[in-house]
Amino acid sequence: MSTAMADSASTPGSVDDPIVTKGYVDGAISTLVQQEIAKQVPSAGGGGSSKLETVAVDPGKKLIVDDGGEIIVRTGKAVAYSSDANGLSDLTEGLDVKPGKAIVNNHLILNPRGQRGVQPDPNQTKGLIVLVRGAYKLQ
């Protein structure tokens, strides 16, 4: 018959078996969670984060956002850009914006997937000011 015995070499509160406070455990867990969140934020070389970032898009350039990225055009006339025939989601009006079609300022635009984004309207000489959430690049 075998009997399970506790390790008697460790005394609670000793160096081998320290007693920790709830605050210490909460802090350690918070640090680990923040590190994991930081690993999940993609980097596309152009920028991006979970915060809204102000980005200037010069004439002739395109702002391409990663899958799930959000765009709000603040100033200038913008048109949707896509590397294929699919468009962007205008969440404010609940519409699909096809490539080359105008994007209404101050509307929340979502890139559901693929290489999509916005560019200044070719008929204007000024660029755009947009708010972006998520990873993006300027081309």
Side-chain angles (χ1 to χ4, degrees), residues 8-29:
S8 61
S10 300
T11 305
S14 70
V15 172
D16 295 328
D17 187 14
I19 296 175
V20 295
T21 65
K22 179 182 180 310
Y24 172 82
V25 172
D26 289 347
I29 290 172

Side-chain angles (χ1 to χ4, degrees), residues 56-105:
V57 183
D58 293 328
K61 297 283 187 181
K62 297 177 187 97
L63 174 78
I64 308 297
V65 294
D66 280 358
D67 297 358
E70 299 172 344
I71 303 167
I72 300 172
V73 178
R74 293 290 296 147
T75 62
K77 294 182 180 181
V79 295
Y81 168 79
S82 178
S83 60
D84 56 26
N86 296 308
L88 300 167
S89 297
D90 182 335
L91 300 179
T92 305
E93 287 197 31
L95 301 173
D96 187 45
V97 183
K98 296 293 183 187
K101 297 297 181 185
I103 293 180
V104 180
N105 289 17

Side-chain angles (χ1 to χ4, degrees), residues 43-48 55 57 61-66 114-118 132 134-139:
S43 175
V55 178
V57 183
K61 297 283 187 181
K62 297 177 187 97
L63 174 78
I64 308 297
V65 294
D66 280 358
Q115 292 290 311
R116 303 176 198 176
V118 297
V132 181
Y136 69 90
K137 57 188 166 191
L138 289 168
Q139 293 182 342

Side-chain angles (χ1 to χ4, degrees), residues 33-63:
V33 168
Q34 291 300 322
Q35 289 171 350
E36 285 301 313
I37 289 171
K39 289 179 191 176
Q40 301 301 320
V41 175
S43 175
S49 73
S50 61
K51 296 180 184 177
L52 283 172
E53 188 174 335
T54 304
V55 178
V57 183
D58 293 328
K61 297 283 187 181
K62 297 177 187 97
L63 174 78

